[in-house]
Structure formats: C-alpha cells, structure tokens
Amino acid sequence: MTETSDQTPLAGKVAVITGGARGQGRSHAVELARLGADIAVCDLCRDVASVGYPLATGEDLGETARLVADQGRRCIPTVADVRDLDAMVAFVDGVRAELGSVDILVANAGVSTLGSICTMGAAEWSETIDINLTGVFNAMRAAAPHMRRQRWGRIIGISSMMGRSANPGIPAYTASKWGVIGLCKSVALELAGDGVTVNAVAPGNVSTPMIHNEALYRLMRPDLDHPAREDVAPAMAGLHVQPVPWIEPEEITAAVVFLVSEGARHITGSVIDVDAGASARFTG
Ligand SMILES: NC(=O)c1ccc[n+]([C@@H]2O[C@H](COP(=O)([O-])OP(=O)(O)OC[C@H]3O[C@@H](n4cnc5c(N)ncnc54)[C@H](O)[C@@H]3O)[C@@H](O)[C@H]2O)c1
C-alpha cells in the first residue's frame, strides 16, 4: 500500500484523463499528479473536419506528460480517439497493466461545433455526438469493470452549462452535453453498490482554445471583421451571472479534486455547476 499524506491524498491512485493534451484536461492531470496520483492521458492529437478550430497536437500531449513528470509522478501519454471503443479499452487495460489500477476517470475530451438546424450536415452532427457523448460512454465502458473489481472508483463526466440550458446555433453540442448528465446518472445508479461514484461537472465559459478561437468570436460579434478577445468579453460575461467573461481551467479542476476526495464518497449521480452563477437561472 502506498502511504498517503495531507499533501498527497491521492498517492497510490491512478487517474485516466481523456482529452488531456491541453486545456482543462491538462489542468486536471497536473493537479491530480500534484496530489499524488499517477496519470494516464489520451488525446486525438489531430483536427476534426467539422470542428472550426484546431484541436491539440502531439507536442501539447508531450507537454502535459512533462508537467506531470515535474510533479514526480508517472505519466502515460497516448494518442487515442475516444470515439473508438476498442482503442479506449486497449488504452485503459494498458494503464491497469502498467500502473497497477484504474481509480479515477475524468471523461473530459470534447469538441464544440456551431451551426443552424437548417444547414447542419450529418457529419457535423455525428462527429459532435460521437466525441462528446459516445466518447464519454466509451471511456466509462473501458474503466468501469476495473473500478467495480477494485470496489473503488471515481468517474467524472465533463458536461457544460449547455448541458443544463440551451442557446440557438449549437444543437449538437447542447444535446451531447445534456446526454452526458443522463449517462452519468444512469451509471451512478448501476455502480452505487460497488464503491464507485459517478458525477458530472458543468463548466461555464472556460478560458481554453475551445472558446478562444475565431469561429466562436465571429459568432458572438458578427458585426466585426476580426473580433478580438476584448470584443467578445461582454457577450461572454452575459452568459454568466457573476461579471466575468470566462473562468480558469484550475477552477474546474477544483471541483474534480473535490469529487475524487474521500469527503465526496457519498456524492454520486450529481452535477456540480462551475459556471459563475449561470445555473441559478435555470436549475432547480
Ligand atoms: N471551454 C469551455 O468554455 C467549456 C465549457 C463547458 C464545457 N467544456 C468542456 O470541457 C471539456 C474540455 O474542453 P476544453 O475547454 O479544455 O477545450 P480544449 O479544446 O482545450 O480541450 C479538449 C481536448 O479534447 C481533445 N479531443 C477532441 N476530440 C477528441 C477525441 N476524439 N479523442 C480524444 N481527444 C479528443 C482535444 O484535442 C483537446 O485536447 C470538453 O468536454 C468541453 O466540451 C468546455
């Protein structure tokens, strides 16, 4: 048994994070490592045709691995597509073989697509649903058998404030993120007797390449030829209640850290909104 301490409460645990090459996934990886966990991250490391901004690269994935190693923890960086169930099972089984267990899953990989219901093509719809919803299922399907066998596990699905509400022009993303919450609740009920908790985190606008890109800036400011960060900030803040346009990845990580802690062992099937108050408008 690995000794834990106040500084390393996750020592001896292994965390799997999908979409961990950059953004929120990288933040989760580095902080869980700082708290003592060994880490496995996967990422697609190439672009997807219907996504209007660049996804992470192999260099990004290598940088996450370097930052985890800086925390003195082991890291397995893998290029894998969450849409591919066989690849996810091979990845997670490999993590179990190399690092000894699979204790934490943060199903974080996702893409954001924009488009009207009158023009959106089949590929745009299915790429979003396949990555954001089926990808979460695939990661859970790969990790859950290990957790059930261990009789301990923490699964976190990353939804969105768009999984709790809706906006026009983003139908596939919205549907996928509502789906993540339903998926988490169903799996939470199934694994409740096995020492495995399953929860969702629903972020507001988070300062990552998913929102800081030209396609989204143009949607928010169609009146400008080349909208910049400061041009979209007021509209972004309007999606929140607290007067901030976006929040930092580390603030989402704080919710993830809470959900994997022993203090959260009796929280399952829940959603934590980290959205600068937005959910006060639309959740019961
Ligand atoms: N940024 C926001 O405002 C925001 C708000 C709410 C929810 N989210 C959600 O948070 C999660 C993390 O997003 P982020 O903000 O860090 O954006 P990001 O684009 O920086 O990170 C997403 C990561 O997922 C990876 N990815 C995409 N498709 C993949 C696939 N098929 N297989 C494996 N990896 C894949 C990307 O390469 C990228 O590294 C996503 O699920 C996103 O939908 C983001």
Side-chain angles (χ1 to χ4, degrees):
M1 264 297 264
T2 313
E3 286 284 315
T4 62
S5 72
D6 287 352
Q7 284 75 41
T8 57
L10 299 179
K13 298 276 192 269
V14 174
V16 173
I17 299 152
T18 66
R22 71 178 189 195
Q24 297 175 55
R26 176 185 285 170
S27 171
H28 305 331
V30 175
E31 181 63 5
L32 295 176
R34 194 183 67 79
L35 295 172
D38 287 328
I39 304 292
V41 281
C42 77
D43 207 288
L44 184 61
C45 296
R46 63 180 161 81
D47 291 344
V48 169
S50 63
V51 177
Y53 58 92
L55 298 181
T57 63
E59 290 73 46
D60 293 326
L61 185 61
E63 176 64 4
T64 296
R66 195 187 63 72
L67 292 168
V68 168
D70 281 352
Q71 300 297 328
R73 300 296 154 193
R74 291 182 290 177
C75 185
I76 300 181
T78 300
V79 177
D81 187 338
V82 294
R83 290 172 288 185
D84 181 343
L85 177 57
D86 291 344
M88 292 310 293
V89 169
F91 166 53
V92 174
D93 286 355
V95 171
R96 164 75 179 76
E98 200 168 332
L99 298 180
S101 61
V102 177
D103 306 293
I104 295 165
L105 167 67
V106 189
N108 162 82
V111 293
S112 167
T113 50
L114 307 167
S116 161
I117 193 62
C118 297
T119 54
M120 181 171 271
E124 289 162 287
W125 169 264
S126 54
E127 282 180 338
T128 309
I129 298 295
D130 289 353
I131 294 172
N132 292 8
L133 180 54
T134 307
V136 174
F137 162 76
N138 288 342
M140 287 183 177
R141 170 66 186 79
H146 296 289
M147 294 178 175
R148 171 175 267 170
R149 214 172 303 117
Q150 295 163 189
R151 303 201 65 73
W152 199 97
R154 296 280 189 269
I155 296 175
I156 297 160
I158 302 298
S159 177
S160 168
M161 69 180 168
M162 285 300 113
R164 310 276 268 166
S165 63
N167 263 329
I170 185 165
Y173 186 80
T174 304
S176 72
K177 293 300 183 178
W178 279 76
V180 167
I181 292 176
L183 173 60
C184 285
K185 286 182 184 283
S186 176
V187 179
L189 296 178
E190 183 180 342
L191 300 180
D194 298 310
V196 181
T197 69
V198 188
N199 295 287
V201 173
N205 306 321
V206 187
S207 190
T208 71
M210 181 176 282
I211 64 161
H212 292 303
N213 64 74
E214 202 181 327
L216 191 64
Y217 283 11
R218 279 177 179 279
L219 180 85
M220 301 200 91
R221 291 300 305 268
D223 54 315
L224 298 179
D225 285 342
H226 300 289
R229 202 175 261 239
E230 58 275 15
D231 298 319
V232 300
M236 292 266 191
L239 297 172
H240 291 159
V241 171
Q242 293 174 325
V244 291
W246 37 74
I247 54 189
E248 295 304 319
E250 292 72 20
E251 300 178 74
I252 312 306
T253 299
V256 168
V257 166
F258 170 62
L259 286 171
V260 305
S261 71
E262 274 311 293
R265 65 190 174 282
H266 292 137
I267 299 176
T268 195
S270 291
V271 183
I272 296 188
D273 300 287
V274 189
D275 60 6
S279 57
R281 291 189 175 126
F282 44 70
T283 56

